[in-house]
Amino acid sequence: MLDNLPLSQVYQFIEPGPVLLLTTALPGHKPNVMALSWHMMLDFEPPLIACVVGQANHSFGALRQSGSCVLAIPPASLAQTVVSVGNCSGKDTDKFGVYNLTPLPAKHVAAPLIGEAIVNLECRVKDTRAVTSYNMFVLECLGAWQNKRLLHEPTLHHKGYGRFGILSEEITLKSLMR
């Protein structure tokens, strides 16, 4: 027998990707970082990534104004840091300083890379047509950086309401994709 699932809980079962840390930077301000779970791939080369950033987030204005950001994939070992970053505002908190994240210079954008991340993606805002209706930015990846010693670390996946999954097991099956 199937039970009714409240529509407000659907996202917990659809959200497949890892929790990201999105960094932004504006001239004259400290760089900011926010936790981000609502994102998806749109295309492969160049990589296009859609992400939803709520208007109430300090990063919304910075992303809109700067037109660029970094998407960083943290290891699951940073789970408490990721949650803490997501539970405060960059309007009044130096998140890099408070949570001991290492900002590293990016090559293509002003926003910093995160030294503790598995992967950092430098992105520019490519399309804002869905921002007004859905707070959805389409980002084009301009550069990607990996920390080879962290590549096999498990990633954190948001399941809603403070619950997270940790992806730590992989299987490889035959694929026709390259």
Side-chain angles (χ1 to χ4, degrees), residues 9 11-13 15 157-166:
Q9 296 178 19
Y11 82 93
Q12 300 172 73
F13 299 95
E15 181 56 50
H157 298 258
H158 187 236
K159 296 179 80 176
Y161 305 103
R163 292 179 21 243
F164 294 86
I166 296 177

Side-chain angles (χ1 to χ4, degrees), residues 19-98:
V19 174
L20 304 178
L21 293 172
L22 181 146
T23 71
T24 52
L26 290 173
H29 294 85
K30 289 190 180 287
N32 189 44
V33 58
M34 68 168 280
L36 175 70
S37 292
W38 295 353
H39 55 81
M40 67 178 172
M41 288 297 303
L42 295 178
D43 208 348
F44 298 102
E45 286 191 39
L48 295 179
I49 302 165
C51 66
V52 175
V53 179
Q55 288 185 31
N57 287 308
H58 181 61
S59 295
F60 179 90
L63 181 57
R64 194 146 202 190
Q65 188 176 337
S66 70
S68 64
C69 67
V70 168
L71 298 177
I73 303 172
S77 60
L78 288 182
Q80 187 55 61
T81 298
V82 170
V83 170
S84 296
V85 161
N87 283 334
C88 66
S89 173
K91 287 179 186 173
D92 50 28
T93 304
D94 172 9
K95 295 183 192 183
F96 276 93
V98 169

Side-chain angles (χ1 to χ4, degrees), residues 4 16 19 27 37 47 50-51 55 58 97 99 110 136-137 141 147 154 160:
N4 182 57
V19 174
S37 292
C51 66
Q55 288 185 31
H58 181 61
Y99 299 111
M136 187 172 74
F137 294 84
C141 187
N147 185 331

